[in-house]
Amino acid sequence: MTKQIKAVALISGGLDSLLAAKVIQEQGVHVEGINFFTGFCVEGHTHAIRKKDKAKPKRNNALWVAEQLGIKLHIIDIVEEYKQVVFNPKHGYGANLNPCLDCKIFMVQKAKEWIAENGFDFIITGEVIGQRPMSQRKDTMPVVSRESGADELLLRPLCAKNLPETKPEREGWVKRDALHDFSGRTRKPQMALAKQFQIEDYAQPAGGCCFLTDAQYSSKLADLWEARGSKQYEMDDIMLLKVGRHMRPRPNFKVIISREEGEGNFLQGYRKQFVSIKTTSHAGPLALVDGEVSSDDLYLAAQLVARYSQGKMAEQVELEITDREGNVEQVAVKPLSPSEIPEEWHL
Amino acid sequence: MSKVIVDARRLLCPMPVIRVQDRAKELAPGTVLEAICTDPGALNDIPAWCRINGHKVLETRSQDDEYIVVVEIGEE
Ligand code: SF4
């Protein structure tokens, strides 16, 4: 009996990785999927938090792709190890804080470890030459193969014909003829192939697969690093960057103000880790204060929070300030006027 | 037989799925696992994960602000 050849596909949830896996599956290879959770993944987080969006929960695209393919999917939490990629990307950042090339190398390297542990033969990705300016170029493809250590065990079925032969092709595990030669930014060949496979309703990610490609998110992360004096983050930090209005009135603290009820409920969960502020005389948001603060700072924060409450035009708004131990202090402040809130406070 | 509880409250997707997946690896087929979540996305994601990995969803329900998915672990 011939040995069943097995490949693991990096599944992001987008169309390209779906097609790449399908192309290999069609050749009789056993395919399973692997999806890495970095903490920055564009999943339904903000969606899950915001009350108005709750009625129609968002699907997890990686799971959806696996289901379309009828393959197993292994979701791997790499949050801790991934920090090094975000802090010190050897190949630098893209337009924002996205370390795409290092990220790809890291993920393929993890996949390489995974196939060794699980008795799989090779790795597939949905990369296409020229598709993304930073990480998917003709000159970066060999960098990913080499620096990940996967070398010729890494096959890119969608553009393999434009690249040197890999081991799966040479050994006859897959037929090179049945692979593709896609290149450039166009999506047409992918769409045509999807049609051929009768795949519809796939996700169409805009910029990239994670929040680090988002300019606003990146600027909030850069602000966090600057305020802390070093590049560091915890899972809670990167979750909180997705929620609420972030404002920094003074270098030593920022205020995270909920924009609607769902966000308020979510921020509630952090009241033991942060000083929190809530209006009592008027309906208003819940806010967290991040940083070491003086009572003067807290007064300013309270004035700012009052501005986003229904008492924004009132002479006086009463608020409750709760410290991390749960001690409550009542204050009454005059809300800041819009002219007292400089643009630079908004992160 | 007693149920295995996975507390995935306050975790956002896909963390609840990862918690269930990692716990399921250690369990014998037929074991019943109950995941308690606060992210409503879990009501879609955990059943999808079960379908592709051969586990059976016995029940999904929401209770106050919590979402509960009961799973019977399948054969490897
Ligand atoms: S967009 Fe994010 S997840 Fe995708 S390759 Fe770039 S850094 Fe990695």
Side-chain angles (χ1 to χ4, degrees):
Chain A
M1 207 176 85
T2 50
K3 172 179 170 259
Q4 170 66 59
I5 298 295
K6 296 196 262 184
V8 75
L10 264 63
I11 299 290
S12 64
L15 178 61
D16 294 8
S17 53
L18 191 172
L19 293 173
K22 182 85 180 161
V23 165
I24 297 306
Q25 228 182 356
E26 294 281 299
Q27 296 209 23
V29 173
H30 172 85
V31 178
E32 293 190 14
I34 192 167
N35 173 257
F36 294 107
F37 177 61
T38 64
F40 296 104
C41 307
V42 182
E43 272 311 329
H45 288 169
T46 41
H47 197 91
I49 295 162
R50 291 201 178 194
K51 189 142 188 148
K52 64 177 169 48
D53 295 339
K54 276 199 178 168
K56 45 174 178 49
K58 201 168 159 269
R59 72 178 184 210
N60 175 308
N61 284 313
L63 286 168
W64 181 83
V65 163
E67 201 167 6
Q68 296 301 302
L69 293 164
I71 62 172
K72 285 195 176 181
L73 181 73
H74 309 273
I75 308 179
I76 300 184
D77 173 358
I78 53 166
V79 172
E80 279 306 313
E81 295 165 90
Y82 192 73
K83 288 179 179 174
Q84 285 317 313
V85 178
V86 183
F87 297 153
N88 291 312
K90 181 175 155 196
H91 299 280
Y93 297 107
N96 295 297
L97 286 176
N98 48 314
C100 291
L101 186 49
D102 290 84
C103 172
K104 273 270 143 60
I105 294 168
F106 181 73
M107 289 185 180
V108 174
Q109 181 197 327
K110 297 299 290 176
K112 166 86 194 309
E113 290 166 19
W114 192 93
I115 60 168
E117 282 162 24
N118 292 277
F120 276 57
D121 302 290
F122 66 103
I123 302 161
I124 41 189
T125 68
E127 291 166 287
V128 170
I129 294 170
Q131 182 83 197
R132 297 220 190 268
M134 181 180 182
S135 57
Q136 299 190 30
R137 298 193 315 252
K138 184 131 193 163
D139 58 326
T140 61
M141 297 271 164
V143 177
V144 174
S145 306
R146 192 175 59 239
E147 295 191 12
S148 64
D151 294 311
E152 18 163 60
L153 294 181
L154 175 58
L155 177 68
R156 286 101 165 183
L158 301 187
C159 62
K161 282 182 170 166
N162 297 326
L163 292 167
E165 203 178 45
T166 58
K167 187 169 177 190
E169 297 157 272
R170 207 176 49 244
E171 297 284 328
W173 300 340
V174 299
K175 284 196 223 67
R176 188 172 168 94
D177 282 355
L179 302 176
H180 297 272
D181 60 355
F182 298 174
S183 76
R185 293 189 71 93
T186 169
R187 305 287 301 154
K188 287 205 182 103
Q190 284 94 321
M191 280 147 78
L193 190 58
K195 200 162 175 197
Q196 189 186 320
F197 287 139
Q198 298 181 335
I199 298 163
E200 287 163 16
D201 196 27
Y202 44 83
Q204 302 260 31
C209 23
C210 83
F211 267 106
L212 293 170
T213 56
D214 183 88
Q216 222 195 339
Y217 188 89
S218 290
S219 87
K220 286 190 271 187
L221 182 61
D223 165 80
L224 185 96
W225 287 346
E226 199 184 311
R228 301 217 173 142
S230 71
K231 289 185 178 181
Q232 48 166 285
Y233 63 79
E234 293 304 326
M235 192 62 193
D236 281 339
D237 295 320
I238 58 182
M239 287 295 152
L240 282 171
L241 293 183
K242 298 177 188 174
V243 185
R245 199 188 298 279
H246 289 238
M247 303 179 82
R248 185 172 294 284
R250 288 178 183 153
N252 58 316
F253 75 99
K254 77 168 170 179
V255 187
I256 307 170
I257 306 171
S258 66
R259 289 170 296 194
E260 47 85 73
E261 197 186 334
E263 288 191 341
N265 293 339
F266 184 77
L267 294 182
Q268 284 275 0
Y270 289 91
R271 291 181 73 179
K272 288 206 174 78
Q273 285 151 267
F274 296 91
V275 173
S276 58
I277 303 179
K278 176 102 195 74
T279 48
T280 50
S281 57
H282 299 79
L286 177 74
L288 302 179
V289 180
D290 182 13
E292 288 310 317
V293 283
S294 65
S295 49
D296 187 51
D297 292 334
L298 280 179
Y299 191 83
L300 178 63
Q303 285 186 290
L304 180 61
V305 176
R307 171 71 214 163
Y308 291 97
S309 76
Q310 293 199 352
K312 63 182 173 200
M313 305 306 269
E315 263 314 296
Q316 184 171 296
V317 170
E318 288 159 28
L319 306 97
E320 217 171 65
I321 302 179
T322 310
D323 69 15
R324 295 180 190 92
E325 282 77 46
N327 306 310
V328 181
E329 187 194 341
Q330 314 284 344
V331 292
V333 303
K334 182 170 172 23
L336 291 179
S337 68
S339 65
E340 290 172 302
I341 304 177
E343 197 38 51
E344 310 83 79
W345 288 12
H346 291 269
L347 300 176
Chain B
M1 201 165 70
S2 64
K3 278 183 296 198
V4 174
I5 305 284
V6 172
D7 183 353
R9 280 175 289 197
R10 287 195 57 224
L11 296 177
L12 297 175
C13 284
M15 283 310 288
V17 182
I18 298 178
R19 287 285 158 84
V20 169
Q21 166 192 272
D22 292 352
R23 193 74 181 88
K25 268 187 209 144
E26 304 157 356
L27 301 174
T31 311
V32 175
L33 177 154
E34 180 171 309
I36 310 171
C37 312
T38 46
D39 181 345
L43 287 183
N44 287 353
D45 293 357
I46 297 176
W49 176 84
C50 288
R51 287 194 297 274
I52 60 182
N53 289 291
H55 307 295
K56 193 166 146 198
V57 177
L58 301 178
E59 188 190 353
T60 56
R61 61 175 195 272
S62 47
Q63 187 172 296
D64 305 325
D65 274 337
E66 293 181 353
Y67 305 90
I68 293 153
V69 185
V70 186
V71 176
E72 184 185 315
I73 304 297
E75 302 289 331
E76 171 41 29

